[in-house]
Amino acid sequence: DARSLGKAAAANGINFGELFLGLSFFVLLSGVILSLLLFKLTIQSRIEHIGLMRSIGLSRQTIQKVLLGESSLMVLSGAMLGLALTLAYNKLLFAGLNGVWQDIIRTDIIFLRLDPMTLITGLGISIVISFLGLFLAIRKLLKRELVSLRKSISEKKVHWSSRIEKPAFIISGLVGIVLPIMQLIQQEAINPGIFFMAGGLLILSFCLGADLYFRGVANKSIKRVSIGSLAAKNSTRNRSLSLSI
């Protein structure tokens, strides 16, 4: 009857809050990774300058304060610009949902409600993440020896994370594949969170697999020179850059 059909439709409805949260999660994660990559490249481009400041006697703490102070203008201006673009993007999104995408929401009209505390919280989180990325990049660079800084030589050390990289690659890939299959086999109400979790695990697995590939290429000597082998070898010079791309 109509009552049972209505209950079934309500039980199998899509929670748009979870949907938008999941979609925004991947967008935010990509933005954070690209931002941290840009910060890292910016700091690395000044490696000789940092080596010069070290050679004239400036302490690591002084250099760190100088670099963070110089980067603060970029971080704050970028955060304010991002906040303005966020408002414009949300208004454009709701205009599309009330217009050409109206069949998706199945309602007459939806209204945009902006909470000032949410905007302030998002702005603060973006600033904190930016400064944290800068701090970690500067701290890692300042730990290097003065000679390597002056000659722009990268130090190669075996980190503990490389030992768990392969098991993490296999486990995250298997779990990311099994989760949606189990969801489909159970034939219950579809939980979007399961699919977003599986997508996140697969992305992690692909990233770890790419990093393992770059490590293997870096440790392997070129037996036959070709454009492909040279391109693969060149991609390992800066693994973080190649992985992010």
Side-chain angles (χ1 to χ4, degrees):
D1 55 350
R3 184 182 181 85
S4 59
L5 290 176
K7 289 183 177 180
N12 295 321
I14 297 176
N15 188 340
F16 279 93
E18 294 181 357
L19 180 62
F20 287 134
L21 179 61
L23 294 174
S24 301
F25 171 76
F26 291 106
V27 175
L28 291 173
L29 181 61
S30 302
V32 169
I33 293 175
L34 290 176
S35 299
L36 295 180
L37 175 63
L38 289 175
F39 292 148
K40 184 177 181 180
L41 292 177
T42 301
I43 298 301
Q44 286 182 346
S45 65
R46 302 188 58 186
I47 185 171
E48 294 184 0
H49 184 203
I50 296 174
L52 179 60
M53 289 190 289
R54 287 278 306 278
S55 63
I56 64 177
L58 294 180
S59 63
R60 289 185 173 90
Q61 291 77 11
T62 302
I63 298 174
Q64 184 174 348
K65 291 179 181 178
V66 171
L67 294 177
L68 287 176
E70 293 178 354
S71 304
S72 60
L73 180 61
M74 177 180 62
V75 171
L76 295 176
S77 59
M80 296 304 297
L81 179 60
L83 181 61
L85 291 176
T86 299
L87 298 176
Y89 173 77
N90 276 275
K91 291 182 179 180
L92 183 62
L93 178 62
F94 274 77
L97 290 175
N98 289 324
V100 294
W101 300 329
Q102 192 175 13
D103 292 337
I104 299 176
I105 58 177
R106 297 293 182 178
T107 186
D108 293 334
I109 189 171
I110 56 177
F111 297 95
L112 174 62
R113 179 179 176 271
L114 298 175
D115 188 356
M117 284 304 301
T118 302
L119 298 176
I120 294 174
T121 303
L123 179 65
I125 291 175
S126 63
I127 292 175
V128 170
I129 291 177
S130 299
F131 275 110
L132 181 61
L134 283 170
F135 173 76
L136 294 177
I138 296 172
R139 184 170 176 266
K140 182 179 180 180
L141 196 60
L142 291 178
K143 283 184 175 181
R144 292 169 54 176
E145 296 296 332
L146 181 59
V147 175
S148 64
L149 287 173
R150 292 290 292 148
K151 295 183 178 181
S152 301
I153 302 174
S154 59
E155 297 177 338
K156 295 182 180 180
K157 295 182 180 180
V158 179
H159 197 264
W160 62 268
S161 60
S162 61
R163 301 174 183 174
I164 65 172
E165 190 173 19
K166 190 173 183 179
F169 159 69
I170 298 174
I171 294 174
S172 59
L174 290 177
V175 175
I177 294 173
V178 170
L179 280 179
I181 294 177
M182 293 297 296
Q183 179 74 18
L184 295 175
I185 292 177
Q186 291 178 359
Q187 295 182 351
E188 297 179 355
I190 296 178
N191 185 1
I194 298 295
F195 289 94
F196 288 126
M197 184 185 299
L201 290 174
L202 288 176
I203 291 176
L204 176 61
S205 178
F206 291 149
C207 291
L208 293 175
D211 191 59
L212 287 172
Y213 168 76
F214 290 140
R215 289 178 184 272
V217 173
N219 297 328
K220 186 186 299 183
S221 59
I222 300 178
K223 297 181 179 179
R224 183 179 178 183
V225 178
S226 64
I227 296 178
S229 61
L230 290 176
K233 199 70 174 179
N234 186 58
S235 65
T236 62
R237 296 184 61 186
N238 193 334
R239 288 207 318 272
S240 60
L241 176 60
S242 300
L243 186 61
S244 299
I245 294 175

